Amino acid sequence: MAKKNTFSDNRAGIMPWLGIAAIIILLDQITKITITRLFSYGESYPVTSFFNLVLVHNKGAAFSFLADQGGWQRYFFTAIGIAAAIFIIYLLKKHAGQRLFCWALALILGGAIGNVIDRAMYGYVIDFLDVYVGTWHWPAFNVADSAICVGAALFIYDELRRVGK
């Protein structure tokens, strides 16, 4: 985890990081609204030889984990997303001066809230990005999922860089 900053290191404050998270949420929701207006459920549009746009609903977590359960997972994953968002905001306040660490957290925060909005409104997450090789398809994902993955990669890079010093 990132090292502790003193109060004077947090000059920029938390607002820029919350702004980045808000941009991710906005992009995520705009793309999801657009895809649901342009596509019917299950409809697919080939973009390249390895990428489609497709409208699918994920009632579970990553890779549709627990998607076939009776509906309790909607509330469970929503609660986890809210708890994660609260913890990330705490970390952003505590480490606001650490740029790479906070970039990672802001991306993860925006992605988590983007997916929580879907779960709260619809009971599932809207996914529409379909990457594949031949007949093997990666599970469909969205902008929020992408932000979470990039944030996680930045977090790992930041930790490896910090440990290497």
Side-chain angles (χ1 to χ4, degrees):
M1 184 171 291
K3 63 183 177 182
K4 185 176 180 183
N5 283 336
T6 63
F7 182 73
S8 61
D9 290 336
N10 294 333
R11 282 172 256 162
I14 192 173
M15 291 312 290
W17 310 119
L18 294 179
I20 291 165
I23 290 168
I24 296 299
I25 295 165
L26 185 63
L27 288 172
D28 180 61
Q29 292 301 305
I30 287 171
T31 56
K32 288 172 179 175
I33 290 167
T34 302
I35 207 78
T36 57
R37 291 187 179 190
L38 295 175
F39 285 71
S40 300
Y41 180 79
E43 183 180 356
S44 179
Y45 178 80
V47 178
T48 69
S49 62
F50 59 89
F51 175 70
N52 294 330
L53 293 174
V54 60
L55 176 59
V56 294
H57 302 156
N58 182 358
K59 293 182 180 180
F63 307 106
S64 296
F65 176 66
L66 297 177
D68 59 349
Q69 298 301 302
W72 61 267
Q73 71 276 23
R74 171 187 186 180
Y75 305 103
F76 178 70
F77 292 129
T78 299
I80 287 175
I82 292 168
I86 291 167
F87 183 63
I88 290 170
I89 291 168
Y90 163 77
L91 289 174
L92 286 170
K93 280 183 167 185
K94 188 174 179 181
H95 303 285
Q98 296 179 346
R99 293 176 57 90
L100 189 56
F101 181 68
C102 289
W103 263 103
L105 291 176
L107 291 172
I108 294 168
L109 176 64
I113 293 174
N115 284 338
V116 163
I117 290 169
D118 282 13
R119 288 186 198 290
M121 289 179 56
Y122 312 116
Y124 52 81
V125 173
I126 298 167
D127 289 329
F128 58 91
L129 301 170
D130 175 31
V131 177
Y132 61 95
V133 176
T135 59
W136 183 83
H137 289 254
W138 188 259
F141 57 99
N142 57 44
V143 172
D145 299 334
S146 300
I148 291 167
C149 288
V150 170
L154 287 176
F155 178 76
I156 292 167
Y157 173 71
D158 183 52
E159 288 302 303
L160 292 173
R161 191 177 63 134
R162 185 186 62 79
V163 169
K165 286 184 178 180

